[in-house]
Amino acid sequence: MIKFLDLNKINRQYAKELKNAASRVIDSGWYILGKKVKEFEIKYAEYIGVKHAIGVASGLDALSLIFKAYIELGIMKERDEIIVPANTYIATILAITENRLKPILVEPDINTYNLDISLIEKNITENTKAILVVHLYGKTCWSEKLESIAKKNNLKIIEDNAQATGAFYIPENDSGLRVPYSGPYKRTGALGDAAGNSFYPGKTLGALGDAGAVTTNNDLLAETIRALRNYGSHQKYINEYRGLNSRLDEIQAAFLTIKLRFIDSENQRRREIAQYYLENIRHPEIVLPCCRQPAVNKPDNVWHIFIIRHRERDKLRKHLLNKGIQTMIHYPIPPHKQKAFGEWNNLKLPVTELIHNCVLSIPVSPVITKKDILHIINAVNDF
């Protein structure tokens, strides 16, 4: 069986370092908000290209704490509206609703699966306070038009960077060609006012448990989030806010510091696999991801997930399983059709629904073998 993502094999590459790191943390006698968390926060902030990285318990908490901090700072209030892509994992939506803010669901671009930036302005009202973009499946969602809309309407831009750690924003023209640019390219997680990052084990930078971080250049926001993640306290037993317990622990921080060294090479391997799929999957009824330049040379996508589309997705999935290939569906039910959001169940979002009914994720792990890649391509083409 070709696993969709062989976490055992991925982490086996670094097993000796990971075990030694765990031993050092155990022997240190300090397990919460110690030297390892501080070290990782510094190194991750440097990697992303921001002033601050604040380690928290998960990617959901990272996003939620950003909104909570903005509320504490008086920048947002309950029932304010947040524009968010309808095509996303439910955690993106939960970060908004758990802060009693109102999600405004906007359809994605069928070619990129990301938020359709051309639809944003028609959804802005006097209550809109932010745009939450999701770099879905590892593909950067950004443009000069997005920045212009936010500036014109005095909106915050928050990034859900759970799936795209290591990707860059590369300005392009309408033909998909890079435009002249004098400065250094920015990574996702450093593009907006703040970003939520996830280190769930299956992510491009994965811990060995739940973990996340907020990245931002805003000093006051960072200071507020540092308190909020720790019961609302900067100093023990003195609570400035009604915070929560959401702290990146020492062992996960130590693991992440090790794995951060390898993320760029692993992401490049994903690009190489994606390029091979794009060149060799030739089934006439299967829709491949849109990529106007060779994927191997496109740093705006880390290919966390390689999505294909077919109108008979479930039959295709069964066919591949019979060939010994494990696949996943990201995601079978869109947020507006979930029981948790019953008030939205009658909404009609045809692009989102098409995507969720037709997409299938095939393996794109950095440790997958060439033999397995060829087997997957042949099996897809034979459907």
Side-chain angles (χ1 to χ4, degrees), residues 69-88:
Y70 278 133
I71 291 170
E72 291 288 355
L73 294 170
I75 294 168
M76 296 178 190
K77 63 182 184 305
E78 290 185 11
R79 295 183 295 279
D80 278 345
E81 295 175 358
I82 310 297
I83 288 174
V84 63
N87 178 45
T88 186

Side-chain angles (χ1 to χ4, degrees), residues 44-243:
Y44 191 66
E46 289 175 350
Y47 176 79
I48 295 295
V50 292
K51 291 168 66 176
H52 306 283
I54 305 103
V56 298
S58 69
L60 171 56
D61 278 4
L63 284 175
S64 181
L65 282 163
I66 292 168
F67 289 116
K68 189 172 179 64
Y70 278 133
I71 291 170
E72 291 288 355
L73 294 170
I75 294 168
M76 296 178 190
K77 63 182 184 305
E78 290 185 11
R79 295 183 295 279
D80 278 345
E81 295 175 358
I82 310 297
I83 288 174
V84 63
N87 178 45
T88 186
Y89 183 55
I90 199 168
T92 314
I93 311 294
L94 292 173
I96 299 170
T97 58
E98 75 173 37
N99 283 289
R100 299 183 181 180
L101 299 165
K102 183 179 179 181
I104 303 300
L105 304 181
V106 174
E107 287 268 60
D109 180 331
I110 192 61
N111 294 308
T112 66
Y113 303 119
N114 277 331
L115 177 66
D116 188 337
I117 292 170
S118 71
L119 300 179
I120 291 176
E121 285 194 281
K122 67 172 66 174
N123 286 280
I124 294 174
T125 73
E126 61 182 12
N127 297 316
T128 307
K129 290 297 186 291
I131 304 166
L132 175 50
V133 297
V134 182
H135 307 300
L136 198 65
Y137 310 143
K139 167 72 173 170
T140 302
C141 178
W142 203 262
S143 73
E144 290 184 359
K145 182 177 180 182
L146 173 67
E147 294 180 20
S148 175
I149 292 169
K151 185 176 181 180
K152 175 183 172 183
N153 294 279
N154 194 28
L155 303 178
K156 300 294 183 185
I157 307 180
I158 298 161
E159 300 171 75
D160 182 338
N161 195 36
Q163 300 185 12
T165 299
F168 287 90
Y169 166 53
I170 310 296
E172 295 179 345
N173 61 22
D174 292 338
S175 300
L177 301 174
R178 296 183 188 181
V179 299
Y181 181 69
S182 58
Y185 293 123
K186 288 185 178 181
R187 292 190 192 270
T188 58
L191 299 170
D193 294 281
N197 303 260
S198 172
F199 309 124
Y200 180 78
K203 294 303 193 325
T204 54
L205 177 61
L208 275 69
D210 278 317
V214 174
T215 49
T216 183
N217 284 311
N218 186 309
D219 296 341
L220 182 57
L221 184 70
E223 181 185 5
T224 306
I225 290 171
R226 287 189 191 281
L228 286 170
R229 72 169 174 182
N230 188 37
Y231 301 101
S233 171
H234 286 297
Q235 185 177 346
K236 196 168 185 178
Y237 303 130
I238 298 176
N239 303 82
E240 299 173 52
Y241 311 107
R242 298 181 186 182

